[in-house]
């Protein structure tokens, strides 16, 4: 495993210029450079039926919430239905219970989809959602040491790369073999060059 610096580019021409710049100006080995398109979130086809995950990360307790909501909604609906027996007849409690269970199930499962106690925002008011990897053309290069990493970041930035990130991984024969599109990106700050 090595340190990898990667940046997003808009066009194929930028990708070509980035690779040329990394090889010519940066003296990076061509087989240590990888370029590929990152699909939008949810479209990585990790599963046979499509998608990225077998379960939605926010829906861990939705089954429990569904059951609780159905029980509560069914009881409330049956009670309301009892009041409607005079108007709707003897089926009113059953219909009220069914409608109440349906609405209660929807509300209960939605309320429990997030982790219990998880806030919408952090203590500083910032959004508490997990960052997702952007979609687009990605050029990545294996760069060991702070000076080589800074050089790779500068070269990528010069050709227009945005969202430059740092990762650990393996680039072998031009292929980032252990790239995981579901791993949240670690946006790179510019490392300070080593003092002489």
């Amino acid at each position: 495993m090595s340190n990898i610096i990667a940046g997003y580019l808009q066009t194929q021409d930028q990708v070509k210029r980035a690779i040329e710049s990394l090889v010519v100006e940066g003296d990076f080995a061509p087989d240590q450079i990888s370029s590929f398109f990152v699909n939008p979130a949810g479209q990585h086809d990790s599963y046979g039926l499509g998608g990225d995950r077998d379960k939605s990360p926010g829906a861990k307790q939705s089954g429990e919430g569904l059951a609780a909501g159905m029980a509560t909604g069914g009881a409330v609906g049956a009670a309301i239905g009892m009041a409607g027996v005079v108007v709707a007849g003897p089926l009113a409690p059953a219909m009220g219970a069914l409608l109440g269970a349906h609405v209660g199930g929807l509300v209960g499962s939605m309320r429990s989809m997030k982790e219990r106690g998880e806030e919408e925002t952090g203590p500083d008011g910032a959004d508490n959602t997990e960052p997702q990897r952007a979609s687009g053309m990605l050029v990545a290069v294996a760069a060991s040491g702070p000076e080589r990493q800074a050089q790779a970041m500068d070269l990528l930035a010069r050709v227009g790369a945005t969202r430059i990130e740092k990762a650990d991984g393996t680039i072998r024969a031009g292929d980032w073999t252990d790239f995981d599109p579901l791993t949240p990106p670690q946006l790179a700050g510019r490392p300070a060059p080593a003092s002489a």
Side-chain angles (χ1 to χ4, degrees):
M1 249 189 189
S2 60
N3 296 116
I4 294 175
I5 301 297
Y8 287 87
L9 296 156
Q10 294 294 315
T11 67
Q12 289 290 342
D13 287 338
Q14 285 179 314
V15 169
K16 184 179 176 184
R17 282 196 322 267
I19 294 170
E20 287 172 357
S21 179
L22 289 166
V23 171
V24 175
E25 295 177 53
D27 198 30
F28 288 97
D31 67 339
Q32 292 297 298
I33 301 170
S34 180
S35 67
F36 53 94
F37 184 80
V38 179
N39 287 335
Q43 298 181 15
H44 300 297
D45 282 342
S46 299
Y47 290 89
L49 294 175
D52 296 340
R53 297 180 167 101
D54 62 342
K55 293 180 181 97
S56 175
K60 292 178 182 165
Q61 287 91 18
S62 63
E64 297 168 17
L66 176 67
M70 286 178 68
T72 304
V76 170
I80 293 171
M82 288 299 286
V85 168
V86 176
V87 176
L91 290 177
M95 291 174 54
L98 286 172
L99 180 61
H102 176 68
V103 172
L106 291 173
V107 171
S109 64
M110 288 187 342
R111 291 181 105 190
S112 66
M113 285 174 93
K114 292 178 14 147
E115 293 289 333
R116 293 172 200 237
E118 183 179 7
E119 298 293 327
E120 292 285 336
T121 58
D124 58 354
D127 187 11
N128 198 22
T129 58
E130 188 174 275
Q132 291 188 344
R133 188 173 296 281
S135 171
M137 289 299 303
L138 188 69
V139 173
V141 59
S144 59
E147 288 183 11
R148 293 292 277 167
Q149 292 169 21
Q151 182 184 25
M153 285 185 231
D154 288 339
L155 291 170
L156 287 170
R158 258 194 259 158
V159 295
T162 59
R163 294 183 53 98
I164 296 176
E165 60 183 72
K166 185 176 181 179
D168 290 324
T170 304
I171 296 180
R172 189 176 298 126
D175 184 26
W176 187 347
T177 58
D178 50 2
F179 175 76
D180 182 2
L182 302 181
T183 302
Q186 301 298 316
L187 297 181
R190 303 255 181 206
S195 55

